[in-house]
Amino acid sequence: MTAPVKPDIKSLTRDELLARFAEWSLPEWRVDQLLQWLYQRRVTTWDEMTNLPKAMRERLSAEFSLSSLTLSLKQGASDATQKFLWRLIDGALIESVLIPANPALYGDASDRHTLCVSTQVGCAYGCKFCASGLEGWKRNLRPEEIVEQILATERWHFEQSSKLKVQGSKLAEDGAATLNVEPGTLNSLAAAAPERLINNLVIMGMGEPLANYDNLLKALRILNAPWGFGIGARKITISTSGLAPQIVQLAGEPEQFRLAISLHGATDEVRSQIMPVNRKYPLRELTSACESYQRKRDRMITLEYILIAGVNDDLLQVRPLATLAKKLNAKVNLIPYNKVEGLQWRRPTDTAQEAFLTALEAQKVVATLRREKGHDIDAACGQLRLRTERELAGA
Ligand code: SF4
């Protein structure tokens, strides 16, 4: 299957839709009705937009496509992290990961659910700990494919909630007393599902987000807009392997997106072993780009540091890491390495992880040690897609 020829309706901003509707002599409030169907009701067909006149729906359908993602596979970890493998319209596979409320990582304590979002099919950057880069870059995601990851995940969630509701009713009828719950308890749990499930985004799924800059920014503006998803810019964290020029460009944007850097090495020698991009944008250049970002923001940058046994977990890395973190007013997220099939690296022992954290804190750096919530579901970036593609290729 090939990519759609018509633009997708979810790749347009409200202003762009207003301009198109004005050409068609349609009033502004029709645009707002359409946006409601797309982003509040999450519909997947034109026919569901029942308060739009039939002629208008036909015109929209003639001019625009209305694509959605197909769920190819879902894995749920024991701690309720859910990993989704989506099939795109051209058959390509991408991943998103839904992480339940987890304060203090990127957002605030009130966070309900975070979605980790992909921005490319495959990746050209080949970070050595990452499965997404193992088979190279295929293509950039279009804005609607980035936006759809949030919509499709919410559709899945609310579908599950309504199934729970139906089951709850049936159980209540069958005699809730035998389950030792009040009649209606399950019903009310399902009914309490919020209108918006996801209120925090981390752009650190498959792909280098800043290598797909224009499509990413457009998608984020739709996700951020009150007529779209209304997710605050400060609840959207963009994670980059360190594309210095694009970090400077991002610093000039009006939105206060958060920035995370996949650092993983505090000296060029160590970082270049893990991140090939460091040869193009070494630490000096990356640091100066981050400083220019920091000057325009009042939020801390996050430095991601995957601890890999014998590669970057030596305590000698602590001092340069602390110097960098203090220079950038950054906090450090330590993440123990997740095993990737085909790679030899190992996770440090719990004791080694704790020792690194303690040494960093002794340098007065704000740091957390994050034991990956999706550790048991191939949560390392790109693993689920890679395994599925290889299975399909084998078949
Ligand atoms: S970590 Fe990100 S930038 Fe690096 S290879 Fe994986 S997807 Fe690409």
Side-chain angles (χ1 to χ4, degrees), residues 83-103:
K83 187 161 205 168
F84 302 86
L85 187 68
W86 304 112
R87 187 171 295 283
L88 305 177
I89 200 158
D90 61 355
L93 295 169
I94 55 164
E95 296 177 6
S96 320
V97 182
L98 180 65
I99 307 155
N102 189 354

Side-chain angles (χ1 to χ4, degrees), residues 122-127 129-133 205-208 241 262 275 381:
C123 184
Y125 285 83
C127 306
F129 54 85
C130 173
S132 290
M206 187 186 303
E208 164 51 63
S241 61
S262 272
M275 313 280 295
C381 181

Side-chain angles (χ1 to χ4, degrees), residues 81-366:
T81 294
Q82 308 282 337
K83 187 161 205 168
F84 302 86
L85 187 68
W86 304 112
R87 187 171 295 283
L88 305 177
I89 200 158
D90 61 355
L93 295 169
I94 55 164
E95 296 177 6
S96 320
V97 182
L98 180 65
I99 307 155
N102 189 354
L105 278 184
Y106 301 98
D108 302 323
S110 62
D111 290 340
R112 290 190 302 256
H113 282 80
T114 296
L115 192 73
C116 178
V117 174
S118 291
T119 52
Q120 298 184 307
V121 181
C123 184
Y125 285 83
C127 306
K128 299 287 189 234
F129 54 85
C130 173
S132 290
L134 282 178
E135 296 196 343
W137 176 87
K138 302 267 166 56
R139 70 171 174 88
N140 284 336
L141 294 189
R142 294 184 294 275
E144 71 274 13
E145 292 171 324
I146 299 173
V147 167
E148 250 299 309
Q149 291 173 63
I150 292 88
L151 282 170
T153 305
E154 289 197 341
R155 267 183 223 117
W156 172 85
H157 172 83
F158 290 115
E159 242 175 68
Q160 300 307 306
S161 295
S162 47
K163 277 185 201 156
L164 179 66
K165 193 173 173 180
V166 171
Q167 279 168 10
S169 307
K170 191 163 180 327
L171 284 171
E173 282 165 20
D174 291 351
T178 56
L179 286 175
N180 208 18
V181 295
E182 290 290 322
T185 302
L186 295 177
N187 257 340
S188 57
L189 277 179
E195 284 300 304
R196 189 100 273 159
L197 173 75
I198 296 158
N199 70 341
N200 206 43
L201 296 177
V202 290
I203 316 299
M204 55 175 71
M206 187 186 303
E208 164 51 63
L210 296 186
N212 186 14
Y213 192 94
D214 292 343
N215 288 350
L216 172 72
L217 261 281
K218 190 153 199 199
L220 292 187
R221 284 181 174 139
I222 292 170
L223 293 164
N224 175 230
W227 50 262
F229 283 73
I231 301 177
R234 286 159 186 263
K235 300 214 164 221
I236 299 176
T237 303
I238 302 171
S239 171
T240 175
S241 61
L243 305 196
Q246 286 88 336
I247 292 172
V248 174
Q249 190 181 354
L250 192 64
E253 304 290 353
E255 294 89 357
Q256 296 274 327
F257 298 124
R258 291 170 186 252
L259 182 67
I261 306 292
S262 272
L263 190 71
H264 316 313
T267 59
D268 282 323
E269 193 194 347
V270 170
R271 190 167 194 262
S272 294
Q273 281 178 49
I274 305 167
M275 313 280 295
V277 70
N278 195 64
R279 293 190 203 110
K280 189 161 185 195
Y281 303 116
L283 280 170
R284 202 154 54 93
E285 207 169 324
L286 175 59
T287 308
S288 129
C290 290
E291 282 177 313
S292 78
Y293 193 88
Q294 193 62 279
R295 275 196 292 276
K296 305 215 173 137
R297 300 284 185 270
D298 59 354
R299 286 288 170 133
M300 285 180 118
I301 288 178
T302 302
L303 301 178
E304 303 283 352
Y305 196 100
I306 293 184
L307 283 167
I308 308 166
V311 177
N312 66 355
D313 66 338
D314 192 299
L315 294 182
L316 286 173
Q317 281 289 299
V318 169
R319 194 174 284 275
L321 178 55
T323 306
L324 191 59
K326 285 191 234 173
K327 188 172 186 183
L328 295 176
N329 182 30
K331 66 173 176 175
V332 177
N333 269 352
L334 298 174
I335 310 151
Y337 175 68
N338 259 328
K339 179 119 189 74
V340 174
E341 224 176 285
L343 294 180
Q344 298 306 315
W345 286 345
R346 285 177 302 109
R347 189 181 179 94
T349 61
D350 285 2
T351 316
Q353 296 168 25
E354 300 287 351
F356 200 94
L357 174 68
T358 308
L360 204 51
E361 286 174 336
Q363 299 281 327
K364 308 266 180 283
V365 171
V366 181

